[in-house]
Amino acid sequence: MEETPRSGRGGGARAARRRAVAAALRLFTEHGYEATTMDDIAAAAGVSRRTLFRHFGSKEDVLFAEHDELFANVARHLAASAHDDPVTAVCAAARMVFQDYVAAPEITVPRYHLVRAVPRLRDREIAMTARYQAAFTGHLAADHTEGPRALAAEALAAAVIAAHNHVLRSWLRDPEHRVPWNRLDEAMAFVTRTLGPVFRDPGGPLEAGGPGAARNGLTGPAARPAPAGPDGSEAVLVAVYPARMDGQDVLRRVSEALGHPAG
Amino acid sequence: MEETPRSGRGGGARAARRRAVAAALRLFTEHGYEATTMDDIAAAAGVSRRTLFRHFGSKEDVLFAEHDELFANVARHLAASAHDDPVTAVCAAARMVFQDYVAAPEITVPRYHLVRAVPRLRDREIAMTARYQAAFTGHLAADHTEGPRALAAEALAAAVIAAHNHVLRSWLRDPEHRVPWNRLDEAMAFVTRTLGPVFRDPGGPLEAGGPGAARNGLTGPAARPAPAGPDGSEAVLVAVYPARMDGQDVLRRVSEALGHPAG
DNA sequence: CGATTTTCGACACGCAGTGCCATACTGGTG
DNA sequence: CACCAGTATGGCACTGCGTGTCGAAAATCG
């Protein structure tokens, strides 16, 4: 109606897409996810049912399409930054996700509440997180499916995602607050600081690193005459914490637990 | 036909259920999950389509119904053992799951391969794991949604499930091997030994425990003048390792990392 | 045996998702 | 302007999942 004069029907495919998402979000919130049909969304968006399916593929995808293309962006970003430092690239990927969420609160906030309410959507969200974790792990250790590198990659990916999700959820619950970029920065910086070196060289940097490194329990194969397994893997430790815990607090505590000074 | 004379049509509701699951498994494996319709399964099982939906609710549930009732069993077991030690109860719950899997390989093994092949089913499996983890966490710290107890519970649940899934998958890939009960025992024993004390008293048992306890980084609020967060939570460390790594190897390595002797 | 309750099967229906084809609209060419 | 690809759209029909309903048959009880 007021957008690009691409299509005579309603003003551009992009605009129609956004209208559909907005309409779906509104209808889902007002009448419930199950009670809203694709015909309802199509009518509200001013497009045909068939076009809706062409664009989004499924009813769930009306909600997660943007998230999916975000994942595709992240994946492309990771693939494109193969020359960069993998740890930095993964943290940047997490930042991309965070950026996308906070940039469109009118979409992400109601979707967050919908996902919390509808089991089907919650499962989808869980699967999504698993996909991110797999992508991060793969980018960190694409050539090592076993061994200490894969182990550190797994831990690092889990930590990055856990930290990101925690900060993100705290904002989603209270989107009126200022976007907690600082907390995300601290979370990413912490992960990079603590698990990054372990990932880059599982065999020793922490041993030769700062004071208290030996207290981490993160030791290398050369530092210990441990009976090496068939793959020579080493254990890597990562913090697990409840979703409601304050992010900065988590970071400080884990940092202390790893032997860093409290300040 | 040879079971209970309950129903004149085909020999008992239980038998019909099992026939349906078996038929679904066979058809899914032979012709694919998407290509097999509920009518096909109904015909193969000798029941009507409507009855099939009455028993299983959905197509996916034909595969996961037993898994769901297993989860219900586990949940009831946890609820019933409120008086027992929570850590022991959770480990016993993991054993129940393992027991159910190995007791019915003709179901669990083909289902495992189906789940690996069909994205839709894989997402469901991931969600299932998340449900178990939530149930374990809730049972370990039902009355503490925050604080060190919840933290330790989260870590403990994650560790138990990770260890269980690892041992289980190794058997699912090679069901001809002897059931690795010993590896599961070791996994559960290790988790109990290492994270159990931390859960039972996050404030210090490991500090006063064996040698090298301080190296764990698992310290209590009383042991450190750390600026406590609003909830007074403490960090707890848990091992994360790739699925293909040998279970015993993981256990030994993490045990070493936590300061226990290698033997 | 008859009466009640439960289970099963058959039919109809709504809705998600897909294939097919006709109809616009796009940009480029003579 | 007429013509012609290529593409996005809409309408239509169809398969399949999942559900509500109702009558019939079987199980249970007296």
Side-chain angles (χ1 to χ4, degrees):
Chain A
M1 291 179 179
E2 77 287 343
E3 301 278 347
T4 67
R6 172 78 177 285
S7 169
R9 283 183 190 81
R14 285 284 175 80
R17 233 181 120 88
R18 274 180 298 184
R19 257 182 300 140
V21 173
L25 240 11
R26 183 175 56 80
L27 294 174
F28 288 163
T29 302
E30 287 179 5
H31 310 121
Y33 176 78
E34 311 284 350
T36 305
T37 72
M38 286 296 265
D39 289 278
D40 299 335
I41 304 171
V47 295
S48 77
R49 197 181 89 101
R50 192 66 185 82
T51 300
L52 212 55
F53 276 108
R54 248 194 280 274
H55 283 318
F56 297 100
S58 78
K59 191 176 172 183
E60 289 182 10
D61 283 343
V62 180
L63 280 177
F64 289 102
E66 309 211 337
H67 202 294
D68 273 353
E69 83 183 37
L70 168 61
F71 178 80
N73 281 340
V74 170
R76 275 193 283 103
H77 167 80
L78 286 178
S81 60
H83 48 84
D84 294 343
D85 171 46
V87 179
T88 305
V90 166
C91 286
R95 267 178 230 276
M96 284 176 63
V97 178
F98 190 82
Q99 160 65 31
D100 241 64
Y101 267 82
V102 300
E106 73 282 358
I107 292 177
T108 57
V109 172
R111 184 177 66 193
Y112 168 70
H113 293 289
L114 275 170
V115 165
R116 287 193 68 81
V118 182
R120 175 190 291 275
L121 302 179
R122 187 151 29 161
D123 288 357
R124 168 95 180 219
E125 181 85 350
I126 291 172
M128 205 56 178
T129 301
R131 283 182 64 189
Y132 274 113
Q133 187 161 340
F136 286 7
T137 302
H139 180 261
L140 288 172
D143 45 348
H144 303 79
T145 62
E146 299 201 14
R149 198 57 167 276
L151 207 50
E154 195 95 16
L156 193 45
V160 168
I161 287 180
H164 164 274
N165 283 348
H166 180 79
V167 178
L168 177 61
R169 276 197 295 263
S170 73
W171 174 78
L172 284 170
R173 280 192 297 268
D174 254 322
E176 302 303 324
H177 284 29
R178 197 168 61 82
V179 177
W181 276 110
N182 54 335
R183 278 201 279 160
L184 184 69
D185 287 341
E186 290 166 9
M188 293 300 115
F190 164 75
V191 170
T192 301
R193 238 180 10 247
T194 54
L195 290 179
V198 186
F199 164 75
R200 280 183 256 269
D201 182 9
L206 269 185
E207 283 287 315
R215 293 178 61 230
N216 300 335
L218 299 169
T219 54
R224 169 158 40 84
D231 51 2
S233 301
E234 290 300 323
V236 171
L237 299 181
V238 59
V240 175
Y241 50 87
R244 307 200 172 279
M245 186 172 171
D246 179 76
Q248 287 177 279
D249 201 41
V250 169
L251 298 182
R252 177 166 30 78
R253 289 164 191 287
V254 178
S255 185
E256 289 164 6
L258 287 173
H260 293 274
Chain B
M1 291 180 180
E2 77 291 342
E3 302 278 347
T4 68
R6 173 80 176 284
S7 168
R9 284 185 187 81
R14 285 283 176 78
R17 232 183 121 88
R18 274 181 298 186
R19 258 182 299 140
V21 172
L25 239 12
R26 183 175 54 82
L27 293 174
F28 288 162
T29 302
E30 287 180 4
H31 311 122
Y33 176 77
E34 311 285 350
T36 304
T37 73
M38 286 296 263
D39 289 279
D40 299 335
I41 303 172
V47 295
S48 77
R49 196 181 85 101
R50 191 64 185 84
T51 299
L52 213 55
F53 275 108
R54 232 178 239 116
H55 284 329
F56 298 99
S58 77
K59 190 176 173 183
E60 288 182 8
D61 283 343
V62 180
L63 281 177
F64 289 103
E66 309 212 340
H67 203 293
D68 274 353
E69 82 182 38
L70 168 61
F71 178 81
N73 281 340
V74 170
R76 276 193 282 102
H77 167 80
L78 286 178
S81 60
H83 48 86
D84 293 344
D85 172 46
V87 179
T88 306
V90 166
C91 286
R95 268 179 230 274
M96 284 177 63
V97 177
F98 190 82
Q99 161 64 30
D100 242 64
Y101 266 81
V102 300
E106 73 281 359
I107 293 178
T108 57
V109 172
R111 185 178 64 193
Y112 169 70
H113 293 289
L114 276 170
V115 165
R116 287 193 68 82
V118 182
R120 175 191 292 274
L121 302 179
R122 184 149 34 161
D123 289 358
R124 168 97 181 217
E125 180 86 350
I126 291 172
M128 205 56 177
T129 301
R131 283 181 65 189
Y132 275 113
Q133 185 160 341
F136 287 7
T137 303
H139 180 261
L140 289 172
D143 45 350
H144 304 77
T145 62
E146 299 201 14
R149 198 56 168 277
L151 207 50
E154 195 95 18
L156 194 45
V160 169
I161 287 180
H164 164 273
N165 283 348
H166 180 79
V167 179
L168 178 61
R169 276 198 294 264
S170 75
W171 174 77
L172 284 170
R173 281 193 297 268
D174 252 323
E176 303 303 326
H177 284 29
R178 197 169 61 83
V179 177
W181 275 110
N182 55 335
R183 277 201 277 159
L184 184 68
D185 287 342
E186 291 166 8
M188 295 298 116
F190 165 74
V191 170
T192 301
R193 236 178 16 244
T194 54
L195 290 179
V198 186
F199 165 75
R200 281 184 255 270
D201 181 10
L206 268 183
E207 284 286 317
R215 293 177 60 228
N216 299 336
L218 299 169
T219 55
R224 169 158 39 86
D231 52 1
S233 301
E234 291 299 325
V236 171
L237 300 180
V238 59
V240 175
Y241 51 87
R244 306 201 172 278
M245 187 171 172
D246 180 76
Q248 286 178 279
D249 202 40
V250 169
L251 298 182
R252 177 167 30 77
R253 288 165 192 287
V254 178
S255 185
E256 288 165 6
L258 288 173
H260 294 272

